[in-house]
Amino acid sequence: MLNKDQLLEPLMSQLVIPAFVLDANGKVLIWNKACERLTNVKADQVLGTNRHWQAFYDHKRDCLADLLVNGNVDKLKALYSYHSDNNHFGVHAQNWCQIPNVPGHFYLAVDAGAIYNEKGKLIAVVETIRDITEQKLAQENLNRLMQDHVTPTFALDADGEVLIWNRACEQLTNCKAENMIGTKNHWQAFYDEKRDCLADLLLKNDTDKIAELYSLQIDDAVNEHRLRVENWCQIPKVPGHFYLAIDAAPIYNEAGDLVAVVESLRNMTEAKLAQEKLERLAQYDGLTGLANRRSFDQRLQGDWNLAERNQTPISLLFIDIDHFKQFNDIYGHQTGDNCLKAVASVISGQCFRPSDLSARYGGEEFTIILPNTDKNGAQVIAERVRKAVFDLHWEHSGNTAADYVTISIGIGTCIPSTGQTVDTLIKMADESLYKAKEQGRNRIY
């Protein structure tokens, strides 16, 4: 028999958490003062008896400790609204309870753990009880509010398990709340492979990973605790790609402990696609699809700065369609536009490296930026472009250089040095183009 006076009773009596101990026969060995206060049942009324259930229920039924004593843990689901046997102490459960001697309803979180002797024989079971009624009511109120919220929202508890999964979240992900609540599987609603959601990063205080997992983080000057990000996402159970704006915010109790994290999501796909379309219009020429003059200027300056810093060569090709005014006069402007598009397609197709940029400089003039390319390399690319345009065999009876549409190309190359600017390179390419035309066109200089 367990010597309660020497081992457990002094310890249990000091606990501020309601607790009691059953022996191997299910009789009460200890009933601490906190348990007396919770149930309004004195220790001398239950010690040495199997009547501890009367402190919690109007009718006879097993408490959590009884299930361990009797080896009936499989009854957890039938007796408790929430349960888990994955904690270190033993078994955890939660349930609404109408304590007979105390008015009102209580939501209790209960833990029970077994004590064994050196031979592995069960000698006692300890049950501890926490009144979490206020937290439960707050959760249910929050849940009701969130269920009617049009914004997809879910909440994780401090252990990362799903507390709330509202209807809007079900509609967005095609994942039912019943399959999510009480699990840590919320990532499956958004990703094919396991990875943290924004709420997980906040819960783990692992926000350094945001840049790795999300394409955009938005600073929130109003609330420094809230995280705001945006990202493309391929929701597994819904066809298509979605651009989601995501917010995550912590919830703390009165003691300042983190008890939950709420994540809300907004489907911004249409707005993002419209934004990208506008950005593309701002960066690309509407007729040819090549980068426009603005994009060219920005890119050339950036590439020039990099070449200056690394002391590497940079080349620039200026390309002009020979006698294009005459082409328009002979064949008309509609055919002229078609010719521009065809030449632009050829020029773009000869830029094999991701670092190269082909652009429409204006009118019938095009340009190619060639970072980390010397004069010889630029000449190879220029000849490839010149020949590809000639091989279109696009009739041009007004061209003095050939019977087809041809181009002239000027090359500018340098390693940026003190006193030079990006205009130096532009001037070099422009002067070379003038000389190519002067020498008969359909050539490179």
Side-chain angles (χ1 to χ4, degrees), residues 368-438:
I368 301 177
I369 304 172
L370 301 169
N372 201 22
T373 305
D374 59 17
K375 184 68 175 284
N376 290 335
Q379 285 176 329
V380 170
I381 296 170
E383 175 56 25
R384 198 167 67 214
V385 172
R386 186 205 65 78
K387 185 177 183 301
V389 171
F390 185 85
D391 288 345
L392 287 173
H393 290 164
W394 195 303
E395 180 184 340
H396 185 358
S397 62
N399 188 3
T400 59
D403 293 331
Y404 305 116
V405 169
T406 60
I407 57 174
S408 298
I409 303 176
I411 301 174
T413 301
C414 70
I415 297 176
S417 60
T418 304
Q420 291 182 321
T421 67
V422 71
D423 290 334
T424 305
L425 184 62
I426 292 174
K427 185 178 180 181
M428 291 171 62
D430 193 39
E431 289 176 350
S432 294
L433 176 60
Y434 178 80
K435 290 177 181 177
K437 291 180 179 181
E438 193 177 48

Side-chain angles (χ1 to χ4, degrees), residues 134-329:
E134 289 187 8
Q135 296 96 308
K136 181 64 174 178
L137 291 173
Q139 177 189 328
E140 290 184 346
N141 287 334
L142 181 62
N143 198 3
R144 279 192 291 271
L145 288 172
M146 286 188 179
Q147 285 302 332
D148 296 327
H149 206 288
V150 295
T151 302
T153 304
F154 66 88
L156 306 182
D157 66 16
D159 295 321
E161 292 187 357
V162 178
L163 283 172
I164 297 168
W165 191 270
N166 75 351
R167 282 187 286 271
C169 206
E170 287 185 330
Q171 293 165 358
L172 173 67
T173 64
N174 203 22
C175 291
K176 296 296 183 182
E178 62 194 44
N179 297 325
M180 291 293 164
I181 292 176
T183 77
K184 297 182 179 181
N185 297 332
H186 48 284
W187 63 269
Q188 295 178 351
F190 306 101
Y191 307 103
D192 286 321
E193 297 180 356
K194 188 173 184 179
R195 54 153 278 180
D196 286 330
C197 294
L198 189 61
D200 297 298
L201 297 183
L202 193 55
L203 201 60
K204 299 174 182 178
N205 195 24
D206 203 6
T207 54
D208 290 341
K209 287 186 178 179
I210 288 179
E212 175 187 333
L213 296 175
Y214 296 93
S215 60
L216 178 64
Q217 180 176 2
I218 301 171
D219 292 329
D220 191 344
V222 177
N223 189 338
E224 61 182 11
H225 299 294
R226 173 177 293 176
L227 298 179
R228 308 188 75 180
V229 299
E230 294 180 4
N231 213 31
W232 281 102
C233 182
Q234 187 169 1
I235 298 174
K237 292 188 176 183
V238 183
H241 283 71
F242 297 85
Y243 191 78
L244 301 180
I246 307 167
D247 291 78
I251 297 176
Y252 300 94
N253 62 17
E254 293 179 356
D257 300 319
L258 181 67
V259 294
V261 174
V262 177
E263 179 170 321
S264 60
L265 310 103
R266 286 173 294 130
N267 184 1
M268 301 283 290
T269 309
E270 290 187 10
K272 182 64 175 176
L273 291 174
Q275 176 190 339
E276 290 182 346
K277 185 176 181 180
L278 288 174
E279 289 175 353
R280 181 171 180 82
L281 290 173
Q283 294 175 0
Y284 293 90
D285 177 60
L287 177 66
T288 65
L290 297 183
N292 61 16
R293 177 65 180 273
R294 178 185 177 188
S295 295
F296 165 79
D297 290 339
Q298 292 175 343
R299 177 66 173 275
L300 183 60
Q301 186 64 60
D303 287 340
W304 174 270
N305 294 341
L306 186 62
E308 184 177 33
R309 185 163 60 249
N310 296 335
Q311 282 299 284
T312 54
I314 180 172
S315 292
L316 181 65
L317 307 186
F318 264 15
I319 304 166
D320 189 79
I321 300 177
D322 296 325
H323 298 297
F324 190 69
K325 181 181 183 303
Q326 287 86 336
F327 185 93
N328 274 333
D329 290 342

